[in-house]
């Protein structure tokens, strides 16, 4: 019986991949990877390893979640080092907790290797510090894409709007009009700065900066699309000062 490693690949820049994650990729027997793992990170994989694309994008699923978990179980029965490679961090909107629990229930040994999540890295590369002594001492990470038929309550947008100085939204581009409406009706000013960061930390990264009241129109006019994160709050003002210092 082998072992499954849930590894966070980071947001795209291969330089942000952890040393532990890289060393495991280099000796893996099987790697089951997600759609948002960048080609430079995939290039780190052992050339002799079996590579399986289990990626999920809006409306396009290579494998169902149940199929992915069953595949991990089967591969761990025949191979020593099985890697489940996820974009960002496995435990930040990556279903890593679900997969880990199911593997453990099946008697499979599992270890998680954290990765740098896009909400932190993409904002940093865009020159948006999530906290700042003048603007923000709190951050909330929230998904903008809720699963249909889920058992848990819906996102408490009113509490988020009133309780956090910086809001980072993952997978929110498709639902942006709804999110803006929820936040504004909960008391957040339409003049609140918002920054969208697409393909964060990659060479093709681009940003769209605006205000809560105008950002939906800007997205429509520019054709700005996913994958992207949204950062909402006064810290977005720092983009105009810090964006020219993007890492290379």
């Amino acid at each position: 019986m082998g072992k499954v490693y849930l590894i966070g690949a980071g947001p795209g820049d291969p330089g942000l991949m952890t040393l532990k994650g890289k060393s495991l990729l280099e000796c893996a027997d099987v790697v089951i990877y997600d759609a948002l793992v960048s080609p430079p990170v995939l290039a780190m994989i052992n050339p002799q390893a079996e590579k399986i694309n289990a990626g999920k994008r809006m409306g396009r699923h290579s494998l169902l979640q149940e199929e992915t978990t069953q595949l991990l179980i089967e591969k761990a029965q025949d191979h020593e080092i099985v890697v489940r490679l996820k974009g960002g961090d496995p435990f930040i909107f990556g279903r890593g907790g679900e997969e880990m629990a199911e593997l453990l229930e099946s008697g499979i040994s599992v270890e998680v290797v954290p990765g740098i999540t896009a909400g932190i890295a993409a904002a940093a590369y865009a020159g948006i510090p999530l906290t700042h002594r003048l603007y923000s001492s709190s951050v909330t990470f929230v998904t903008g894409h809720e699963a249909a038929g889920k058992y848990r309550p819906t996102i408490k947008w009113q509490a988020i709007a009133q309780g956090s100085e910086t809001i980072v939204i993952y997978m929110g581009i498709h639902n942006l009009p709804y999110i803006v409406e929820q936040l504004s009706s909960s008391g957040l000013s339409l003049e609140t700065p918002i920054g969208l960061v697409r393909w964060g930390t990659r060479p093709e990264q681009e940003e769209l900066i605006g205000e809560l009241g105008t950002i939906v129109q800007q997205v429509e006019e520019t054709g700005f699309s996913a994958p992207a994160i949204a950062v909402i709050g006064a810290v977005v003002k720092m983009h105009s000062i810090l964006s020219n210092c993007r890492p290379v």
Side-chain angles (χ1 to χ4, degrees):
M1 187 72 72
K3 184 173 183 177
V4 174
Y5 294 86
L6 299 178
I7 298 178
D13 184 342
L16 299 180
M17 180 73 178
T18 65
L19 293 175
K20 185 171 186 177
K22 181 176 184 291
S23 65
L24 285 166
L25 288 182
E26 292 171 343
C27 61
D29 300 305
V30 181
V31 178
I32 301 173
Y33 62 93
D34 279 349
L36 290 180
V37 178
S38 67
V41 172
L42 293 177
M44 299 176 185
I45 298 173
N46 172 16
Q48 282 73 50
E50 180 182 4
K51 306 174 188 67
I52 302 171
N53 184 353
K56 299 178 182 65
R57 296 292 299 278
M58 179 68 70
R60 304 192 304 276
H61 288 192
S62 296
L63 290 176
L64 297 175
Q65 184 61 43
E66 295 78 11
E67 295 173 334
T68 299
T69 304
Q70 185 57 40
L71 185 60
L72 286 167
I73 294 170
E74 293 173 357
K75 293 300 181 182
Q77 292 171 342
D78 297 325
H79 301 279
E80 183 179 358
I81 300 176
V82 178
V83 169
R84 177 71 172 102
L85 187 61
K86 294 175 170 289
D89 178 85
F91 283 1
I92 302 293
F93 306 121
R95 303 191 72 168
E98 298 172 44
E99 292 181 2
M100 191 171 190
E102 292 171 4
L103 289 166
L104 290 172
E105 288 175 4
S106 300
I108 305 297
S109 179
V110 191
E111 180 180 332
V112 63
V113 180
I116 299 177
T117 185
I120 294 173
Y125 273 51
I128 303 174
L130 299 185
T131 64
H132 190 285
R133 286 196 302 167
L134 297 179
Y135 300 121
S136 174
S137 57
S138 61
V139 183
T140 297
F141 295 100
V142 59
T143 176
H145 177 68
E146 299 185 88
K150 63 178 185 177
Y151 64 86
R152 65 182 178 84
T154 55
I155 294 171
K156 297 178 175 61
W157 290 109
Q158 182 174 3
I160 292 171
Q162 297 178 0
S164 183
E165 293 162 305
T166 302
I167 304 169
V168 180
I169 302 174
Y170 292 66
M171 301 168 287
I173 298 300
H174 295 283
N175 292 330
L176 192 59
Y178 170 78
I179 293 169
V180 168
E181 191 276 330
Q182 290 294 308
L183 291 173
S184 61
S185 65
S186 298
L188 204 60
S189 169
L190 291 176
E191 296 180 351
T192 303
I194 177 172
L196 308 181
V197 187
R198 182 173 186 263
W199 291 117
T201 78
R202 301 191 185 199
E204 61 267 37
Q205 175 178 315
E206 57 181 328
E207 301 100 43
L208 185 64
I209 307 298
E211 296 181 345
L212 205 62
T214 59
I215 194 65
V216 171
Q217 181 179 348
Q218 289 177 257
V219 167
E220 293 173 351
E221 291 175 349
T222 61
F224 196 93
S225 60
I229 63 144
V231 182
I232 302 173
V235 291
V236 178
K237 297 176 182 178
M238 297 299 297
H239 172 270
S240 60
I241 302 172
L242 305 180
S243 60
N244 291 330
C245 300
R246 179 179 301 171
V248 294

